[in-house]
Amino acid sequence: MTGRTVSEDINHPKLGNVGIVHIGIGAFHRAHQAAYTDTAMAQHGGDWHIIGVSLRSTDIVDALNAQDGAFTLIERHPDGPQARRITSLSYAIAAARDVEPVLAALSDPAIRIVTITVTEKAYGIDRLSGQIQQDHPAIAHDLAHPDKPSGLIGLLVAGLKRRKVAGLSPFTIVSCDNLPSNGVLLRKGVIDFALRIDGGLADWIAANVSFPSTMVDRITPAATQTTRADAKRLTGVDDPVAIETEPFSQWVIEDNFPNGRPVWEAGGAILVDDVEPYERMKLRMLNGSHSLIAYLGQLGGYRYVRDAMVDDAFARLVAQHMKNAALTMPPLAGIDFAQYGADLVDRFRNPEIAHETRQIAMDGTEKLPQRIFTPASDLPVGSPALGTFALCLAAWMAVMRNRINDAEPGKADDLLNDPRAGEIIKALGGKQAADEIYDSLAMLPGWMPKALQNTPVWRDAVIARLSLLLADGADAAIKKEIAV
């Protein structure tokens, strides 16, 4: 097919004023929360337009503002792309240029919600304690300069402080990043940061600010020249910030918004009392499988997820991992884990979605704890289901070792694309044997749970799979795993 333009919601005007600040205006936000908000306002109205904030990039801010915040969203259906114009974004601010407009927006009485998509590493919160990481660059800067913050937590606290001083109600803070109990974690980090600069402010935040947890899901590959060409063909608009995504989208939200919210249900959002079971399912089955595909795919020479899933053995391995992940969870009312896994396999196979394995593979030390370590810890010691979890970790270790081996002197940090790249490089040194690689990386401080780290069965399982990957490659390791 040549593709279709979805006319619904394209031409509706911006209704009223802003009500949301969103921090992190990358492709995922624009394909997800911005689209939900666009549909909500088109069908139910409301003053919920979004002020977008970019913490680092200025190019995306300039490009969006040149188009009055509007952009094209391409959905890659198996039978051809569809397009719509999203107009829920009012304008964007580059915090790197000047933080004052960001703080002014956060202290605007019209703003009732702050949503966030900045990736895991931007938080600077220790997942175990919930306390801020004082050696995190943005956290360290903002503790020293609380009135001129540069990072996420510092901005939130500074904005809340201005509202407290002005006698305004606080905004609701909604993390939309793939972090377990993201609202709970963010609340702890924000209060801990505030406590270190102003005890009264910390108490006010603890008593008054809502931090709903969420679960988000939508595959959003990096835009390409084809994305922009399709946007032009389908909408007639030459859009340099057009983005593409899959047809599927999911947003599960804890319904705790004291000052109101858009009718996100209009776009299909699910409002619940407890997000955790849905979040756990997604992290373990979808995200865990994505990591497995990403690292094994890199070792097997697959650039895109869809290419790996064409291989029957690879697809069987992914399905096997989803079954293993399902074993780590109690039943969830209304959810058939087997059907959910089958649907995920179909999504991964979508030939129209060019999702790069390298994109998924970035920031492994941030992602593997909740995707691999936690569910592996929930399985009985010696369970055969541990195998695919061990294989995923072994594949990550092999990718790290290979990238360091292939790097030019002084360039390994860039190739690893991980916030702990320096630690990984130092830990590995010149080690090439599987047992030495495992023992070095498993001991990264505060990373692998002690109970798992000290389990001989787990160590042996990872080392055996890492040895096979290093000696015979991904295909051999996959075939052996699915034969178990």
Side-chain angles (χ1 to χ4, degrees):
M1 293 186 61
T2 58
R4 306 178 297 284
T5 299
V6 179
S7 59
E8 181 186 18
D9 301 340
I10 288 179
N11 297 313
H12 71 79
K14 292 188 175 182
L15 305 173
N17 298 314
V18 295
I20 300 171
V21 168
H22 182 83
I23 302 175
I25 50 174
F28 182 77
H29 163 68
R30 287 181 283 137
H32 194 271
Q33 301 92 37
Y36 279 92
T37 304
D38 194 69
T39 300
M41 288 192 296
Q43 295 188 18
H44 297 277
D47 297 340
W48 294 112
H49 280 97
I50 301 165
I51 301 173
V53 175
S54 172
L55 293 179
R56 300 289 175 259
S57 174
T58 58
D59 291 345
I60 186 62
V61 168
D62 295 339
L64 285 167
N65 285 339
Q67 300 181 169
D68 195 28
F71 59 91
T72 305
L73 177 62
I74 304 284
E75 288 186 358
R76 296 286 183 195
H77 294 257
D79 62 348
Q82 298 180 20
R84 64 183 279 200
R85 292 286 285 175
I86 303 295
T87 60
S88 55
L89 184 66
S90 182
Y91 64 93
I93 305 170
R97 285 191 179 127
D98 185 359
V99 75
E100 183 54 36
V102 181
L103 295 177
L106 291 173
S107 55
D108 185 333
I111 297 301
R112 286 155 284 168
I113 298 172
V114 175
T115 53
I116 301 161
T117 51
V118 294
T119 76
E120 298 93 329
K121 63 186 175 184
Y123 283 74
I125 304 172
D126 181 81
R127 291 204 186 115
L128 296 179
S129 69
Q131 295 181 328
I132 55 173
Q133 298 168 323
Q134 295 186 64
D135 58 348
H136 185 281
I139 295 290
H141 173 276
D142 295 351
L143 284 173
H145 308 281
D147 294 326
K148 293 186 177 180
S150 63
L152 171 68
I153 306 301
L155 282 169
L156 293 173
V157 172
L160 288 168
K161 179 179 179 180
R162 289 194 180 193
R163 296 180 82 97
K164 178 178 181 290
V165 170
L168 299 174
S169 297
F171 41 69
T172 298
I173 304 177
V174 187
S175 169
C176 300
D177 285 302
N178 282 317
L179 290 163
S181 302
N182 50 20
V184 175
L185 181 73
L186 185 55
R187 181 180 189 274
K188 289 179 179 178
V190 167
I191 292 173
D192 183 50
F193 184 100
L195 187 62
R196 296 169 192 267
I197 61 171
D198 184 337
L201 176 61
D203 292 341
W204 182 81
I205 292 172
N208 295 285
V209 181
S210 174
F211 294 81
S213 289
T214 68
M215 186 271 269
V216 298
D217 185 6
R218 194 167 211 189
I219 297 170
T220 308
T224 65
Q225 289 297 331
T226 301
T227 312
R228 290 181 277 276
D230 283 344
K232 175 72 171 179
R233 176 171 59 85
L234 295 171
T235 69
V237 176
D238 188 5
D239 188 349
V241 292
I243 55 172
E244 64 177 70
T245 190
E246 65 172 332
F248 178 89
S249 183
Q250 190 173 47
W251 194 8
V252 183
I253 314 168
E254 181 186 348
D255 197 3
N256 184 11
F257 292 81
N259 295 313
R261 60 170 176 81
V263 185
W264 282 317
E265 300 96 320
I270 303 170
L271 280 296
V272 299
D273 293 330
D274 184 9
V275 171
E276 185 178 355
Y278 299 89
E279 171 191 80
R280 184 168 53 237
M281 175 185 71
K282 189 245 181 175
L283 281 168
R284 297 186 180 192
M285 294 184 70
L286 187 151
N287 296 125
S289 296
H290 249 172
S291 290
L292 181 67
I293 295 168
Y295 298 119
L296 281 173
Q298 298 247 324
L299 295 171
Y302 294 109
R303 181 177 180 184
Y304 298 115
V305 170
R306 65 188 183 192
D307 298 335
M309 296 298 289
V310 169
D311 181 274
D312 180 64
F314 209 127
R316 287 170 58 195
L317 174 72
V318 172
Q320 182 173 312
H321 180 71
M322 289 180 188
K323 291 179 182 177
N324 293 343
L327 294 174
T328 71
M329 298 178 289
L332 179 56
I335 297 292
D336 181 337
F337 289 141
Q339 185 59 54
Y340 179 68
D343 292 342
L344 287 178
V345 169
D346 288 341
R347 289 170 62 193
F348 294 165
R349 281 177 167 155
N350 186 340
E352 295 296 313
I353 297 293
H355 203 182
E356 289 193 293
T357 56
R358 192 174 186 88
Q359 180 187 8
I360 301 167
M362 65 186 293
D363 302 336
T365 57
E366 293 287 328
K367 296 173 179 176
L368 290 177
Q370 64 266 27
R371 297 182 182 192
I372 301 300
F373 299 161
T374 300
S377 299
D378 287 342
L379 286 168
V381 174
S383 169
L386 275 171
T388 54
F389 294 96
L391 180 58
C392 182
L393 177 59
W396 175 80
M397 291 180 170
V399 169
M400 295 297 101
R401 178 69 276 171
N402 289 349
R403 287 185 183 175
I404 294 172
N405 288 346
D406 294 340
E408 298 176 11
K411 299 292 185 180
D413 278 39
D414 294 336
L415 283 178
L416 293 192
N417 206 351
D418 191 285
R420 300 184 71 169
E423 293 177 73
I424 294 168
I425 294 166
K426 183 178 180 181
L428 281 180
K431 300 179 180 71
Q432 303 293 335
D435 58 342
E436 293 178 333
I437 293 171
Y438 175 86
D439 289 337
S440 297
L441 295 179
M443 297 304 293
L444 289 174
W447 189 47
M448 189 182 297
K450 293 291 185 183
L452 195 62
Q453 187 184 81
N454 296 330
T455 302
V457 172
W458 172 252
R459 178 180 182 274
D460 292 345
V462 177
I463 290 172
R465 288 159 176 79
L466 180 55
S467 296
L468 186 56
L469 286 168
L470 295 175
D472 298 327
D475 287 347
I478 290 170
K479 288 176 182 176
K480 182 167 184 180
E481 197 65 45
I482 61 177
V484 173

